[in-house]
Every structure is written in C-alpha cells, then in structure tokens.
Amino acid sequence: MSAADELRPDVGFPGALACFGFGVAAFFRALSRPWVLLLAWATYTALALPMVVPLYGSLDAALSHNPLAQGHWGQVLLAEHDRVFPGLGRVSAWLPLLSALVMTLLAPGLVRCVHGAPRSRGLGALLAESGRLLPRSLRSLLPALVLLILWTWLWKAFIDPFLLGLDWTNADADRAFRVGLASKLVAGIGVFKVLMLRRLALARLVVEDRRSATWAWLWALGWYARHPLRTWAAYLGLLLVWVVVVSAGSTALDLLEAHFFEQATRPLLFLVATQVVAVLLCAVTLAGFLVAGRLVSIDAALRAGPEVPVAEVTPVAARRGRVASPAPRDEAGIQDDESREVMAWAEGGASHATPGERIDATKDYGTTP
Amino acid sequence: MSHRLPLTLLLLCSAAPAQGFDKGRSGLPERSERVCSYEMKVRLDPKAKTLVGEQKIRYRNRTPGRTGELRFHLYLNAFRDFRSTHMREAGPEFRKGYKGPEEFGEVRFDALRLVGGAGGPADLLPTLRFDAPDDGNADDRTVAVVALPEPLGPGQEVELATRFTARLPKAYRRTGWGPGNFFMLAQWFPKLGVLEAGDAGGSTWNCHQFHAWTEFYSDFGTYEVRIEVPAGWPVGATGSEVERGVVDDRYEFIRFRQEDVHDFAWVTDPDYRVKTEEAYLPALDPAVAALLRDRLGYDERELALTPVRITYLLHPEHDRPYVFERHRRAVHVALDFFGSRYGRYPYPTLTVVDPCTDPEGGSLGGGMEYPTLITCGTPRYPHPRRLAPEGVTVHEFGHQFWYGLSANNEFEAAWLDEGFNSYSEGRAQDLAYRAYDRALGVGDPVWVSREGTWLIRGRAPASLGPAALLPKGIVGTGLAQLPGRLRRPVRDLGFDGALLPPIDELAIWSELPVLSYERTVPFAYLYADRQQFLSAPMEDPVDRFAWTYSSRTSYRVNSYQRPATVLATLERYVGRDTWVPLMRRYHERARFAHPTGEDFLDTLAEFAGPEARRIGRELLQTTKRVDYGVEVEVRPPFAVRGLDVGADAGNVDEEVVVTVRRKGQLFVPVIVRFSYWKDGTRHDEDRLWDARDQGPWRRWVVTEAEQREKGRLLQVLVDPPRPDLEPFVGPAGVWLVDENLLDNAWQRWPNQRQAKKRSARALLWSQCLSSFFGWMG
C-alpha cells in the first residue's frame, strides 16, 4: 500500500497510523531545513538573552570568587542565588507571553518556509511574508483565545463539577480519583485541541493564501469533524518526538555534566550540548507547522477529487490574481513533495497519472483498493 | 556541668506522674497525671453521616484556683456554616470547595448533666452558651460554656454525663466523611478545655476557638471508647482493642482503651485493607546511647526501647507492596530515631492509616497526628528518590513525641510541636535515607519535588515551569481582573477570566528531573527548611499565637521550617555532645506535660549557658536577622601605575584588607577562617569575632610581612563549613540561619564554572519555554 493509500479517509485506522508516522517524520523533515531551524533557534535565543545575560553577570559576581561554589555545595549556593536575587527570574515571567506573541508574528512566515521548498528562502522573505500575513494570523488567533476562555469556563463551571459530582464516583475513592484525573485530562485535551485547530486554520490561511480567518476556522473544524483520528494521530506523533527529545536531551546533559563538566572546565562544550537540544526543540516546533501544512495539502488534494482539474488546486489568491505565491510550485500548484504524492493519489494514482492530466473518474488507475 | 545522677534518684523520678513541666526531672515519667478521662459510646450511621454518642467525663481541677464554669471545645461546629471563625479565616478558596449542605457538619449536646461534684447532680444544658474568646465572633460556636452550680475547688473532681449528636462534614479539614464509606473521625466529640493556673493563685480556662490553622490542646487522661459500626468494617483507633462483640444483626462494637493520652481519633471504611506487624522492637542508636550514658548517666533500663504492635490500614489505591514497604520502613526509621533520642515510645500500639484520595486529588484526612494513630499522605505514584510518603509518615509519627507526649498548647505555640518535630523528622530522614537502599529501591533523595524544584531552581523559575505557567502566568496578565468587573449573574456562572484550566497534574512535568533542565542534587532537610523560611518575609517572630501570624505562609514557616532551622543552628552552636542530652532532658521534662517556649530556653541555658539562651531567645522571639559577609580588597604595596615593584616582591607582594560585616541585627560569635598557601601546602587559621561588643564590621589587614611568613592568602571563609557536624555537610557552618551564604567566602582566583554552567542551563530552559509557549502563537 502506498503512502497515498494510507492517507485515504475511508481506510480508517491504517490512515491514522500513517498520520502518526508523518507526525514523527515531520520532525526529521524539519531538520532538513537548516536555515529555518537556525532562524527559529535565533528567535528563541534572542528571547532568552535578556534573562540569561544579566543572570550570568549576577552569578559571576556572586559565585566566581566563592570557593564553596563547587559540586553539591555549588548547587546549594545556586539555590541561594535564586532566592537572594529573585528579580532575575521575574524577567523571564514575561517570556511565555513574549514567545507566544513573537510566534504569532513569525508563524505565517515559518509555515511558508517549512512547507515550501527548502531553497530560495531568506530572512527578508520570511519577515516580509510574516508581515503580510500578520493580520490573518491575528484574526485566526482571536477565535482560539475566545475558545480557550470558553472551554476553560465550561470545564470549570460544568464539566468538572458534573464528573466529580456523579454518584458512582463518590461511591469509590479509587474511582473518584481516576475520574478527577480524567476530568483534568479532558481539560488538557480540550486545550490542546483548540491549539491544534488554530494551527490548522493558520496553515489553511497561509498555505492556500486565503484571507478569511472565519472560513479557515470553519474548514479546520470541518476537517477535524471528518478526520479526528488522523489529526490527533499526526500531533501525537509529534508529541512523542517532543517527549523523546526532552527526555533524551536532559538525560544526556545530566550525564555530560556529571561525568565531564564537574571534573574539568569545559563550559563551551556544555553550552554546545545545550544548544543541540535547543535546536532539536526548534525542529519540533517547525514540525508542528509541517504537520498542519500537510494536513491542509491533503485536504486540498482530496477536495480536488478525481473529476476536478488538477490546475484548480492552487492558492486562492494566486488563482484570483491578487498575490503571486512566493513558493515555487509545480504545475499542479502543490508546494512540497509529500503533498505532491498525496496529490498523485487524489489524481488517481502516483504511478499512472501525470501532472496536468484531467482525471477520468471511470478509469481504473490501479491504486484504489 | 555534670548531669550524672544516682540511679535510685532516677528511678524515683521516673515513677512520678507528670503534667506540669518539671524543671528538676531526670528520666522518663511512667504516666501522666490523668486529669480528664472520657468513657464514651458512639454509633456511626454511615448513610446519614452522623454520630450519636454518650460520654462520661471525670475531670479534676489541678490548679490552685477555683472555677465556676466548664468550657468545651465543639470543634465540628467550625464546619457548621461559612460564618464560623474557621471558615472565615480559611478564605474564599477553601469555602468554594463546599458543594452542598450535606458537606457541612456540626455537633450538639442533646443532654449535659452534672452527675457528681460541684453541687451536682444538676442539668447543665440550660446554662449552655457559646463564647468567642479570641475574636468575639458571635456566629462561632466552637467554644461552649456551662455554669456549675457550685465552684470547683483545687483538687476537686466533677463527673459529667452527656449525650451528643454529630453531623459529620466532608473531610476537607481532616475530619468527616469521604467518597464511599470513608470516615475519618477526629475532634468528633465535645471535649473539655484546659484549666490553667492563673494570676494570684486563681485559675483560667484555656479554651480557644477553632481557627483555620490552629490545632489542639487538652489535658491528659484515660480514654475508653465503645465504637459501633456496621459489621465487618475495619476500625483503627487510638489505643488498644480491649473488647469486640455484636450489637445486632447489622452492627458490631469494638472497645478501645488508652491511658495517658489527650485525644481520641478513629477511622473506618469497609475498603480498608488491614496489615499488622505484631511486635516491632525499635533499634537503639549505639552512638546516641553511648552519649546519653556518658553525659546523663543513664543505664540500659532507662535507655531500653519497648516493642510496638503496628497496624496499617491502607486504602486500596495505596495497597501495593512497594508503597507498603516504604511506609513500614519509614515507621521503623521513626521509631528507632525518636526512641533513641527522646526515650521509648510508651504505648503498646501504633495505628498507621493511609486514607483515601479526594476526587480533586487531595488526601482526605491525610497527614495528621492523633495519640497512637497517624494518617499518612501517599502520592499516587511515589518517586523513588523523593521522600514521599516517607516524609509525612515520619513527621506524623514524630508527633507522637512532639504533641502526643510533649503536649504543648498548639493554639498558642504551634512551633513547639511542629518545629521540634520538623527538626527531628528532617534529622531522622537525613540520617536514614542518605544512601540508596537497593533492596527497597528508595533513598539517596534529591530535590525533585515541587517544592524541591522550587528550591533548586529558585522562586521565580519554578513558578515559571511550563505547568505552573499554564494556569497562572498567562491569566496573571490581566484577564484575572476581569471577573470583578462583571455583573454578579456572570460571576455566579463561575467565570473567572482564566485562559487555561488549572491542571495541577501537569505540575508533574516540573517534578521530573528530565524536564527541569537542572541536575538533581542531594536532598537535605537542613537546607530545604532553611531555604523555605528565608524565602518568606520575616514579619513575625516564631513564638506567637498561631492564629495571629500575618498570613498562612507566615504561620507555616514560623511553625515548621524556621524553628527547625533554629534548632539545627543551636545544635551546631552548642555541639552535638551537648545537644543530644539537652534534647533528651527537655523531652523527659515535657513528657506528659504542657511545656512552653521558656521551658525550652531554660533547659538550653542549663546545658549550654546563658549566651545560648540569649541567642535562642532572640532567634525565636524576635524578628532579628543573622547575616554576615566578607569583603576583601587586595592592595598592591606599590599601587602607583608604572612603578616597578621589583623582582624580590615574589609571590607576596601585597597586603590584603579583609572586612567582615554584620548585616543582621542579631549578634553571634563567628569564626573567620584565613587560608594561606605556601610551598604547596594549605594552612588554615581561624579567628573568632566574638558577639560581645560586636560592631557592624571588623577588619583584618594581612600584611606583606605576614604573607611572607604564612604564605599567600588564598581564601577567607566566614563561618566555614563544618564537616564534623552531622549529618549533611554544606556551605554553611554553624549559622544555618545566615540569610545570605553567597557573601560568606572569598577566594583569590575566580572560578566561573558554576556561573557558566548555570547560565547555559538557564538559556536552554528559556528556549524550551519559548518553544513550548510558541504553540500559543
């Protein structure tokens, strides 16, 4: 069975497995876009530096001339430093909000970059694209914020009390605990779902160069209603990658610190090691864009259907002649290899159909099970 | 000073009962004065969640004065409505937890008769009124007063007979019911306050209202309670089971009895799984025993420990071999430590209850102490290198000594039990769990708990852990202000402006070392307690009434972590060889008595002198701070630019000005260690900066000539680390309470390793946070 077959909506569980696979594969595809990675890394680093630079200065002043700042005693003194100079930490209190805002600005450009061909992109183009698409990004963010608040209220006011108030939960402490845990899991799933839908809506706006955030959200909701399993599967694949990166990275750093750093002063080596982990985390973030973009492409391919001329599956704005898409496209208007593969399936068969060929619905292309 | 006493005198002293703190006592008292005894019969109706009970109370006035009234604690009335003092003080967040009228509780007298003494027999119920001596809250009904027909004189007794009904609350605060048929029955019966000697030979009742964060205070006596529960339900209770029988076809009864206790608690739940350890004989610490033999002249009989029958009641979700073994080990560790240090555990039984978990994730009735019965706090998934459940188990057992036996007034001096117990708990665990136990799979503890993470990463970064930020950080940007501006109908719908739901379970992320981006470090209670109390504002002295602290945080740190750190500091100051006998003697005098802070300070002075008493008093009764630091200036002898100092200047070509500053208000003697380096060897020289006539600073100039003689001055340490002090060696010396350890040392050549390593970690942590929250963008 080809990858295109696996992604067929009517195939069910194997399709979800395939989506899980491309969630994982997206991470590796993100790694193949070094300059985008570098840009994401530089962004995150730039956000971190206002906290880290003063922290280093403070630590240097407090500990460098302190002979006790070694080994375990040093760890105690580090805790002491955090307590005595809490202001440095407070600087980073804004970091999450700042990173969310910066990513709101850069996300459209990054989606363009990671979803498009890896070549022919530059920082200027990315920023230009981000700027051009910013209003759409903000418009698509607004429903997400509203939904998050609405969901939180709904969960706190109704769902959680309802679940915890069920008679059968109060009859058994163990069960009650599990229900309590499940209720919070439901809350977490809801939050993740909203963020996922927001990603899809953004990708829809950017990949197809559409303008209406409302339609993008409606499309995202429609897509999710039709393909919940594979949407979740794709993102769970990514989540798995994140957990592996974080766990392996942190453990490796611990080992490195314990076995090399304590004995010899190799700060540069340690810094490089931490930044390798940071780059991998950036790849996970970019992979998130790839996944969303790919789901949009798949939908485009599916919507094109066997009867629709392939040429019609192009960015709406480009079709309308308003904006020329900066992404290099093939004749079918598809931007990346994966989507091209999916497109081939939508056209009737990767090995039999040729780009631009009008699909004959009655013709057997040999790939439909 | 010699503390040896003839054995005969010891035995004589041991035989006497105790109630007051006897400053002349040496050796353990065998029993209490038994001032107030209760014989009770109680029946549980699990469906209605009520108790119906009868009491026979015998009470003796042990004061030199007379009293014309009796005062009762009706603790359950704290949960009667939201107007009680307890509920008001607990705050809106706590009150929000109550979901319906069935979750409230109360206790009332159905009958109250004076059977004998003080002009009885008489019906006292018509005279009953409620009082609010602490805050005048007319809606608070936790203190009831009845008038006696005739005053009760010194040494006279009264006998009372009561009937009462208790409607049980949901066990949000340690007593009541929980999911299923879980019942935790504490403070469930009307209980007499404590009549104390007042001024000018009079007497006065010490019977405080039930505050949000106060505990209890009662006289010692004998409790005999017949408990009627549905047949087959396991029951755990204070004391020993002395009788069991059938009431009817649905109910059975169990009678428990215990002398020399001051409270009675019990638990029942058909789901409990019961395990029993028939006789555990605690192990005597040989080093401590040798010290006590040497310093106090104790013989084997005085030091001997006695076997204890331990019953474990585990809720099904905690009944796993791994968890049970950890509890068992913790109980053994505690019995060994407390028995060795403070004297034998005098009761034949101990009941360890691991209660059920609340649907909201809290432990209902967990982490609490009652005479011979403790309740634990077990995480759902215990971490092998985090001392949970051990911490709670050891702590609650420790209360058998500091609260149970040494029965201070917890309303007025919570630190005398919580502080002493926190110190002891920490010490017991630091000693027992330092090394990893391969067989059990626990030990070698690290800072990975939520608090631990907070400790090692500091206040701000921990509050910024991804999980912590989810519910609070983003909400805190202004949306949280919104609900206050909304109309009431909208607020009533529960809208609080939160952008994200409070998913506490996600906090486990910040507990996992792999996600903390910090290396885990060895855990030591000494430093954990120190960090916690120093992180809170120093607004109150340790020694004050528990409900008068400025905040709950202030109550917590001043009752637990700060006194624990002060005690550890005093131990370091007086030395272990003095401290261990001192604490033993203090406990002996406090056993079966109601000690005060002054009693402890007097014992401190007796063993370690008036200067120790002064320091202890100022640390406990004032908000004075201890903070010393060193500043060093290296002055070349020829500081004029361009001037050649000459080849013969060699390695000792300068003078070093060392200034030690006292930044706190409290004067203590500190050692300043000068370390010199000459011919490849290090030479340390300690100089004492005495507390007497101590100014704000003291300066030493290490001259060129001196350095020629001793070597180049390499390091200066104020209050240097003391590897000889047990059990965890860290960067502090004697003065664990020193507010800032960062400026306590100086070295000639900088070492930037820690700064660079930490900054690299912080950079990665920030990048991780950005990538995590970038998803919101």
Side-chain angles (χ1 to χ4, degrees):
Chain A
M1 187 160 47
S2 71
D5 290 328
E6 291 164 8
L7 291 175
R8 287 197 48 169
D10 56 342
V11 175
F13 186 67
L17 269 183
C19 285
F20 184 84
F22 83 60
V24 174
F27 170 71
F28 296 100
R29 288 184 64 80
L31 286 175
S32 70
R33 285 154 166 76
W35 80 266
V36 187
L37 266 180
L38 190 68
L39 186 72
W41 172 83
T43 305
Y44 291 151
T45 307
L47 290 173
L49 286 179
M51 185 193 79
V52 175
V53 170
L55 177 71
Y56 175 72
S58 175
L59 285 168
D60 189 29
L63 299 180
S64 294
H65 280 278
N66 191 325
L68 306 178
Q70 295 174 30
H72 296 153
W73 293 7
Q75 293 283 356
V76 174
L77 288 180
L78 286 173
E80 186 87 349
H81 178 270
D82 286 347
R83 183 179 58 76
V84 176
F85 301 103
L88 289 167
R90 286 198 198 112
V91 173
S92 66
W94 295 94
L95 192 60
L97 201 60
L98 200 62
S99 58
L101 287 174
V102 168
M103 287 314 286
T104 302
L105 170 67
L106 291 183
L110 285 170
V111 172
R112 278 283 199 207
C113 290
V114 297
H115 196 65
R119 60 187 184 281
S120 72
R121 287 287 187 279
L123 179 63
L126 182 140
L127 291 177
E129 278 296 287
S130 295
R132 183 175 71 81
L133 297 169
L134 179 62
R136 298 176 212 190
S137 177
L138 290 175
R139 287 203 303 274
S140 70
L141 183 63
L142 196 63
L145 294 178
V146 172
L147 279 174
L148 282 177
I149 291 173
L150 197 65
W151 169 248
T152 300
W153 166 72
L154 198 70
W155 179 80
K156 283 169 77 173
F158 297 104
I159 299 173
D160 194 43
F162 170 74
L163 288 173
L164 296 180
L166 292 175
D167 282 345
W168 57 270
T169 60
N170 263 329
D172 181 333
D174 192 26
R175 192 184 290 166
F177 176 83
R178 290 179 194 188
V179 170
L181 209 59
S183 173
K184 286 172 180 172
L185 189 64
V186 165
I189 287 172
V191 170
F192 194 78
K193 187 171 148 183
V194 171
L195 296 178
M196 206 163 64
L197 289 173
R198 139 86 175 147
R199 271 279 169 275
L200 285 174
L202 181 68
R204 168 83 165 174
L205 286 173
V206 173
V207 171
E208 297 199 344
D209 211 358
R210 290 174 182 271
R211 285 179 174 277
S212 170
T214 310
W215 283 113
W217 265 93
L218 288 175
W219 169 81
L221 290 167
W223 165 268
Y224 182 77
R226 279 177 282 128
H227 310 296
L229 197 60
R230 63 196 54 207
T231 312
W232 273 105
Y235 279 96
L236 284 177
L238 203 56
L239 187 68
L240 176 74
V241 171
W242 182 77
V243 169
V244 169
V245 167
V246 164
S247 307
S250 301
T251 308
L253 287 177
D254 279 1
L255 291 172
L256 192 67
E257 185 179 328
H259 297 290
F260 297 101
F261 195 76
E262 291 290 354
Q263 281 82 32
T265 307
R266 295 197 179 94
L268 189 62
L269 174 67
F270 191 70
L271 181 66
V272 169
T274 59
Q275 292 314 294
V276 168
V277 179
V279 168
L280 293 177
L281 287 172
C282 292
V284 175
T285 306
L286 295 180
F289 296 128
L290 270 175
V291 169
R294 189 164 182 203
L295 291 176
V296 171
S297 295
I298 291 170
D299 182 65
L302 293 174
R303 275 185 292 117
E307 290 87 10
V308 179
V310 175
E312 286 183 21
V313 190
T314 52
V316 178
R319 284 206 311 273
R320 292 173 185 168
R322 283 198 293 265
V323 179
S325 168
R329 294 162 185 276
D330 60 15
E331 299 87 333
I334 306 302
Q335 289 174 299
D336 67 1
D337 298 336
E338 295 165 291
S339 302
R340 199 171 293 112
E341 187 184 350
V342 178
M343 195 61 212
W345 167 80
E347 288 165 358
S351 57
H352 296 88
T354 53
E357 180 187 359
R358 180 176 291 277
I359 304 299
D360 180 355
T362 60
K363 184 177 174 183
D364 179 10
Y365 289 94
T367 56
T368 306
Chain B
M1 180 188 295
S2 170
H3 300 287
R4 292 173 187 275
L5 283 174
L7 184 60
T8 47
L9 182 58
L10 277 177
L11 295 176
L12 278 175
C13 291
S14 301
Q19 174 87 16
F21 187 88
D22 182 354
K23 289 183 177 153
R25 172 176 295 284
S26 171
L28 295 168
E30 289 299 322
R31 67 178 190 87
S32 73
E33 225 180 301
R34 298 180 188 170
V35 173
C36 185
S37 295
Y38 294 79
E39 188 181 336
M40 295 190 276
K41 176 182 167 184
V42 61
R43 183 184 179 97
L44 170 71
D45 181 345
K47 202 165 181 181
K49 297 183 172 59
T50 57
L51 295 175
V52 178
E54 296 173 7
Q55 294 175 296
K56 281 183 190 168
I57 306 172
R58 292 184 69 85
Y59 175 73
R60 177 165 49 85
N61 177 3
R62 56 176 295 278
T63 72
R66 302 196 307 168
T67 181
E69 63 183 24
L70 297 175
R71 286 186 171 243
F72 288 89
H73 290 287
L74 300 179
Y75 288 114
L76 284 184
N77 283 347
F79 311 107
R80 191 167 174 270
D81 52 38
F82 286 149
R83 297 192 299 274
S84 70
T85 293
H86 188 106
M87 287 286 196
R88 286 180 179 182
E89 290 176 350
E93 280 303 312
F94 176 71
R95 293 196 293 268
K96 253 197 271 182
Y98 285 79
K99 298 180 185 68
E102 73 282 1
E103 296 192 349
F104 291 88
E106 64 179 340
V107 60
R108 67 168 189 272
F109 281 114
D110 298 321
L112 175 52
R113 286 190 58 76
L114 178 65
V115 178
D123 184 4
L124 301 182
L125 199 55
T127 69
L128 187 139
R129 64 182 173 88
F130 295 102
D131 192 17
D134 301 334
D135 64 358
N137 177 7
D139 294 318
D140 191 79
R141 297 190 173 186
T142 56
V143 174
V145 186
V146 290
L148 292 169
E150 293 175 8
L152 182 67
Q156 292 180 341
E157 282 192 0
V158 287
E159 188 174 340
L160 304 164
T162 82
R163 275 189 290 115
F164 65 92
T165 303
R167 180 164 60 90
L168 298 170
K170 187 158 184 192
Y172 294 120
R173 276 284 160 91
R174 300 165 168 174
T175 182
W177 54 271
N181 285 304
F182 170 84
F183 290 93
M184 171 82 232
L185 291 315
Q187 317 306 336
W188 51 277
F189 58 93
K191 191 175 177 191
L192 278 168
V194 177
L195 188 65
E196 293 182 331
D199 298 332
S203 63
T204 179
W205 281 97
N206 194 310
C207 189
H208 292 288
Q209 294 164 254
F210 193 11
H211 295 270
W213 55 76
T214 54
E215 292 184 304
F216 316 106
Y217 180 41
S218 309
D219 279 314
F220 282 94
T222 300
Y223 285 73
E224 185 167 327
V225 183
R226 174 187 152 120
I227 297 169
E228 296 179 4
V229 291
W233 286 26
V235 175
T238 296
S240 307
E241 180 182 323
V242 292
E243 188 185 2
R244 179 185 284 265
V246 175
V247 178
D248 53 36
D249 56 344
R250 292 195 307 119
Y251 271 78
E252 66 180 8
F253 76 87
I254 310 164
R255 188 189 299 278
F256 291 90
R257 179 184 169 85
Q258 184 61 59
E259 296 86 6
D260 305 317
V261 292
H262 50 77
D263 200 1
F264 187 96
W266 57 288
V267 298
T268 186
D269 186 333
D271 289 340
Y272 271 133
R273 297 177 185 173
V274 183
K275 300 172 192 291
T276 304
E277 207 175 347
E278 283 303 332
Y280 173 72
L281 180 62
L284 190 64
D285 183 331
V288 171
L291 196 54
L292 294 175
R293 271 188 222 106
D294 181 45
R295 295 297 303 273
L296 299 179
Y298 286 165
D299 62 1
E300 298 307 317
R301 181 176 169 276
E302 186 63 33
L303 297 172
L305 306 180
T306 48
V308 184
R309 183 177 194 268
I310 308 169
T311 305
Y312 300 88
L313 276 76
L314 305 169
H315 227 257
E317 68 267 29
H318 302 147
D319 183 23
R320 282 174 282 157
Y322 177 61
V323 176
F324 173 65
E325 279 307 314
R326 291 183 66 166
H327 277 305
R328 211 165 71 97
R329 165 93 193 278
V331 171
H332 293 178
V333 163
L335 275 163
D336 296 350
F337 177 87
F338 284 85
S340 297
R341 299 255 172 159
Y342 309 130
R344 70 185 72 87
Y345 175 72
Y347 308 111
T349 62
L350 175 69
T351 301
V352 180
V353 180
D354 200 1
C356 78
T357 314
D358 187 32
E360 279 88 354
S363 175
L364 290 174
M368 196 52 196
E369 69 282 2
Y370 307 97
T372 81
L373 183 148
I374 61 172
T375 65
C376 309
T378 306
R380 188 75 170 185
Y381 307 105
H383 190 296
R385 298 185 69 192
R386 180 183 164 195
L387 293 182
E390 287 84 355
V392 179
T393 306
V394 173
H395 182 89
E396 304 312 334
F397 175 80
H399 275 303
Q400 296 302 313
F401 286 73
W402 304 116
Y403 145 82
L405 294 167
S406 168
N408 56 288
N409 185 337
E410 292 186 290
F411 290 95
E412 296 182 359
W415 68 277
L416 274 176
D417 58 293
E418 297 296 358
F420 276 73
N421 192 34
S422 294
Y423 157 79
S424 307
E425 166 214 349
R427 182 53 46 90
Q429 290 186 93
D430 282 347
L431 287 169
Y433 292 101
R434 264 185 303 182
Y436 184 72
D437 182 337
R438 289 194 179 280
L440 188 57
V442 297
D444 189 17
V446 291
W447 273 339
V448 291
S449 68
R450 198 177 304 178
E451 282 186 340
T453 313
W454 174 80
L455 285 170
I456 189 60
R457 297 195 316 195
R459 181 189 302 176
S463 67
L464 292 172
L469 262 177
L470 279 174
K472 291 173 188 161
I474 291 174
V475 176
T477 56
L479 276 173
Q481 307 298 321
L482 193 59
R485 300 175 188 277
L486 297 174
R487 289 181 173 277
R488 188 177 179 80
V490 180
R491 288 206 301 270
D492 288 347
L493 279 172
F495 179 70
D496 62 3
L499 182 61
L500 296 169
I503 310 170
D504 292 340
E505 274 66 19
L506 289 179
I508 196 173
W509 293 3
S510 63
E511 294 185 19
L512 295 174
V514 290
L515 295 183
S516 70
Y517 294 105
E518 288 294 349
R519 267 189 73 206
T520 52
V521 297
F523 180 88
Y525 273 87
L526 288 177
Y527 285 91
D529 287 340
R530 179 184 177 281
Q531 284 281 15
Q532 286 192 45
F533 104 73
L534 287 174
S535 298
M538 183 103 74
E539 295 176 322
D540 300 306
V542 167
D543 193 3
R544 68 182 305 162
F545 289 3
W547 71 92
T548 63
Y549 290 105
S550 62
S551 63
R552 185 169 177 81
T553 300
S554 182
Y555 160 74
R556 180 176 54 78
V557 298
N558 281 305
S559 299
Y560 292 78
Q561 290 93 13
R562 189 170 157 204
T565 311
V566 168
L567 291 175
T569 302
L570 290 173
E571 176 184 3
R572 288 162 173 246
Y573 174 64
V574 304
R576 181 175 175 271
D577 289 355
T578 302
W579 182 255
V580 172
L582 183 162
M583 287 292 278
R584 171 72 173 222
R585 184 56 53 83
Y586 170 68
H587 180 80
E588 287 168 355
R589 294 171 179 175
R591 184 174 276 213
F592 298 131
H594 303 311
T596 63
E598 287 301 320
D599 293 332
F600 170 69
L601 292 175
D602 289 345
T603 312
L604 183 64
E606 179 186 332
F607 277 77
E611 182 65 359
R613 189 187 202 287
R614 177 191 69 81
I615 293 171
R617 192 189 66 75
E618 295 199 18
L619 286 171
L620 294 166
Q621 296 180 355
T622 72
T623 54
K624 290 182 179 174
R625 297 155 184 267
V626 176
D627 188 9
Y628 288 84
V630 62
E631 293 166 8
V632 178
E633 184 188 358
V634 181
R635 292 179 182 162
F638 306 102
V640 181
R641 183 176 293 177
L643 189 65
D644 185 6
V645 297
D648 60 345
N651 289 331
V652 281
D653 56 356
E654 86 255 315
E655 65 177 18
V656 183
V657 180
V658 177
T659 309
V660 177
R661 295 191 186 279
R662 178 180 55 76
K663 303 171 183 176
Q665 303 86 11
L666 187 56
F667 297 21
V668 294
V670 287
I671 289 173
V672 183
R673 175 169 296 163
F674 293 74
S675 298
Y676 300 93
W677 186 261
K678 188 174 188 182
D679 301 331
T681 56
R682 177 177 156 158
H683 163 64
D684 290 343
E685 183 180 299
D686 288 351
R687 302 179 187 184
L688 177 69
W689 190 19
D690 201 5
R692 279 171 298 185
D693 305 322
Q694 202 176 73
W697 55 269
R698 169 88 189 262
R699 183 165 292 158
W700 288 270
V701 178
V702 183
T703 61
E704 187 176 333
E706 195 175 345
Q707 290 197 73
R708 279 210 181 90
E709 180 195 340
K710 298 175 182 173
R712 175 168 288 198
L713 182 63
L714 194 68
Q715 293 178 354
V716 180
L717 303 176
V718 177
D719 189 25
R722 297 279 302 275
D724 56 317
L725 297 174
E726 64 171 349
F728 182 87
V729 183
V734 169
W735 304 106
L736 272 170
V737 288
D738 189 314
E739 286 211 346
N740 183 359
L741 295 178
L742 295 172
D743 60 3
N744 282 21
W746 170 86
Q747 68 181 356
R748 180 179 290 269
W749 295 287
N751 180 354
Q752 295 174 310
R753 189 188 303 173
Q754 285 290 353
K756 287 177 176 172
K757 183 182 72 176
R758 173 67 166 202
S759 301
R761 289 272 190 183
L763 178 63
L764 177 59
W765 181 78
S766 306
Q767 289 162 326
C768 175
L769 209 61
S770 289
S771 80
F772 189 85
F773 281 95
W775 262 84
M776 298 283 291

